[in-house]
Amino acid sequence: MAISIQVDHVSREYGPVKALDDVTLDIKAGEFFTLLGSSGCGKSSLLKLIGGFDTQTSGRVCFDGKDVSGLAANKRPVNTVFQSLALFPHMSVAQNVGYGLRLRGLSGSSLDSRINDALDLVELSGFGPRNVNILSGGQRQRVALARALVMEPGILLLDEPLTGLDERLRQQMRDEFGRLHKRTGATFILVTHNQDEALSLSDRMAVMHKGRIEQVDAPARFFDAPANAFVARFIGIDTLLRPEKIDTANGQAEATIAGQTLPVRADGFLDPAASVVAIRPDRLFLAPQGAPSSLLLTVVGTTFRGLHRDLKLAFSDGQTLVIAIEADADIGQLTVGQKVPVGLKPDAAVLVSSAGMPQAG
């Protein structure tokens, strides 16, 4: 049965270092929740507290509203798939998968049946007798998943389990996590620094930074309304422009950048000194010459990205933005220094707090 998780004002200190700083978080039963952030942001520290592998300095961790802070890891309804996988090299696939069940006293046909069901769940039927040391990386990953799922946990923790796999295999295992989540109904918590994994799998996710949670939301909301400059940059909105002023007319906010104006969604936040304009590259386009309500920018360069090209353009004050253009789009011959008109689709630009914005110079 899926279990909800409540993290209540939790901090974790290691001497003068604060790995977690007053974190509060509610994860719904049956949710696929992701903790996203760069190395050292506190996401793995939080996962360890939920799993019972560490103890918080202050605050509480609750399952379904019950405080489990004093409960040992092996007493919690939690299983973990570690980055290292931690498979036993001297055991077969079946012995690895059934290890936890044997510790619980299960044996005979009941044990075999549970092992076979778990292997079938991860599409490794018939692999039981095999040596784990001769399996591929993806197969070893599935064995680790089967070993965790065979215990029928209410909570499954995934601690950067795809690190070290090639991109094709990462995508395959990413799909596998989504399929297993739907089949088991357990509460899944994934720790990763990979935005693609978080965005494609999560019902909701949290972006963490310096031991704190910057934003908790559904994946699409991070693009529509990032909490601040740090969040915008972390999820891939690299165009962050400093406005000269912000005006509002007829309910529509406009930002002025290097003397040119563009519509922005402000959501009541209008302080140009403490804000930046975040612009999504997929909502910009090259406009026809002389098109109304377009920006006139200077070509800085282009970068081929495979399925698309990044076109980098500059304002007169040196600030730049990037447009994502389909690789086979007919855009003619663009040369560095050429001026081109740029149009904005609805909600292409949003005004956000400048918190986390690198200092100029």
Side-chain angles (χ1 to χ4, degrees), residues 247-254 264-267:
D247 296 309
T248 304
N250 300 320
Q252 173 64 60
E254 287 187 335
V264 296
R265 196 176 76 246
D267 295 335

Side-chain angles (χ1 to χ4, degrees), residues 1-3 76-80 104 114 145-157 184-188:
M1 181 181 293
I3 295 171
R76 299 189 185 193
V78 177
N79 271 79
T80 306
R104 288 185 179 178
R114 291 277 295 275
L145 276 169
R147 184 177 62 182
L149 293 170
V150 77
M151 305 301 291
E152 299 180 346
I155 300 169
L156 182 65
L157 307 180
T184 63
T187 304
F188 277 36

Side-chain angles (χ1 to χ4, degrees), residues 238-307:
D238 292 322
T239 298
L240 300 172
L241 306 172
R242 296 188 181 275
E244 297 166 4
K245 63 177 180 175
I246 306 294
D247 296 309
T248 304
N250 300 320
Q252 173 64 60
E254 287 187 335
T256 300
I257 299 169
Q260 301 194 65
T261 61
L262 65 155
V264 296
R265 196 176 76 246
D267 295 335
F269 186 74
L270 296 173
D271 182 3
S275 62
V276 291
V277 178
I279 300 183
R280 291 176 55 167
D282 60 315
R283 292 190 176 176
L284 299 174
F285 60 93
L286 291 180
Q289 288 291 336
S293 303
S294 61
L295 303 171
L296 190 63
L297 304 177
T298 303
V299 175
V300 175
T302 61
T303 304
F304 180 65
R305 300 292 187 188
L307 298 179

Side-chain angles (χ1 to χ4, degrees), residues 10-12 49 54-61 67 69 76:
V10 163
S11 294
R12 181 63 172 103
L49 295 182
D54 194 12
T55 304
Q56 62 270 22
T57 306
S58 60
R60 301 187 309 154
V61 175
D67 192 345
S69 300
R76 299 189 185 193

Side-chain angles (χ1 to χ4, degrees), residues 35-359:
L35 300 172
L36 177 66
S38 55
S39 297
C41 71
K43 58 188 186 297
S44 290
S45 295
L46 182 53
L47 199 77
K48 290 176 183 177
L49 295 182
I50 293 171
F53 303 110
D54 194 12
T55 304
Q56 62 270 22
T57 306
S58 60
R60 301 187 309 154
V61 175
C62 301
F63 292 169
D64 286 340
K66 182 180 178 180
D67 192 345
V68 296
S69 300
L71 206 60
N74 63 349
K75 301 295 183 182
R76 299 189 185 193
V78 177
N79 271 79
T80 306
V81 178
F82 297 99
Q83 181 177 328
S84 64
L85 302 185
L87 297 177
F88 299 114
H90 61 288
M91 293 184 183
S92 68
V93 168
Q95 288 170 332
N96 266 281
V97 173
Y99 179 75
L101 293 176
R102 290 196 301 274
L103 290 180
R104 288 185 179 178
L106 204 64
S107 62
S109 60
S110 296
L111 174 63
D112 293 339
S113 177
R114 291 277 295 275
I115 292 172
N116 290 333
D117 286 346
L119 289 174
D120 181 58
L121 186 65
V122 298
E123 299 182 351
L124 286 180
S125 297
F127 276 65
R130 298 196 188 185
N131 184 337
V132 294
N133 300 295
I134 63 172
L135 301 182
S136 69
Q139 289 168 338
R140 289 170 59 83
Q141 185 69 257
R142 290 169 191 264
V143 173
L145 276 169
R147 184 177 62 182
L149 293 170
V150 77
M151 305 301 291
E152 299 180 346
I155 300 169
L156 182 65
L157 307 180
L158 303 165
D159 188 9
E160 302 210 47
L162 303 183
T163 300
L165 300 182
D166 63 60
E167 186 56 32
R168 182 192 62 79
L169 195 51
R170 289 176 75 99
Q171 292 179 6
Q172 181 181 341
M173 291 308 302
R174 200 180 302 164
D175 294 342
E176 190 77 6
F177 290 153
R179 182 182 70 83
L180 290 171
H181 178 246
K182 288 181 174 64
R183 286 192 61 178
T184 63
T187 304
F188 277 36
I189 304 179
L190 171 68
V191 160
T192 184
H193 59 268
N194 185 288
Q195 294 94 324
D196 289 341
E197 290 173 18
L199 294 170
S200 62
L201 287 170
S202 308
D203 296 315
R204 288 189 307 147
M205 62 188 203
V207 169
M208 297 188 67
H209 181 52
K210 294 184 178 179
R212 300 183 67 89
I213 291 177
E214 297 286 340
Q215 184 172 353
V216 178
D217 238 320
R221 289 286 298 164
F222 283 85
F223 292 91
D224 294 336
N228 52 43
F230 174 83
V231 172
R233 285 169 59 87
F234 196 82
I235 60 152
I237 302 178
D238 292 322
T239 298
L240 300 172
L241 306 172
R242 296 188 181 275
E244 297 166 4
K245 63 177 180 175
I246 306 294
D247 296 309
T248 304
N250 300 320
Q252 173 64 60
E254 287 187 335
T256 300
I257 299 169
Q260 301 194 65
T261 61
L262 65 155
V264 296
R265 196 176 76 246
D267 295 335
F269 186 74
L270 296 173
D271 182 3
S275 62
V276 291
V277 178
I279 300 183
R280 291 176 55 167
D282 60 315
R283 292 190 176 176
L284 299 174
F285 60 93
L286 291 180
Q289 288 291 336
S293 303
S294 61
L295 303 171
L296 190 63
L297 304 177
T298 303
V299 175
V300 175
T302 61
T303 304
F304 180 65
R305 300 292 187 188
L307 298 179
H308 73 277
R309 281 182 289 176
D310 285 346
L311 176 62
K312 189 174 184 180
L313 305 167
F315 288 85
S316 60
D317 65 355
Q319 294 194 84
T320 60
L321 57 74
V322 175
I323 303 180
I325 301 174
E326 291 183 7
D328 59 354
D330 182 11
I331 58 174
Q333 289 295 112
L334 293 178
T335 58
V336 173
Q338 178 181 345
K339 292 188 178 298
V340 295
V342 174
L344 290 83
K345 297 178 184 178
D347 289 334
V350 60
L351 200 67
V352 302
S353 163
S354 59
M357 183 76 170
Q359 295 298 313

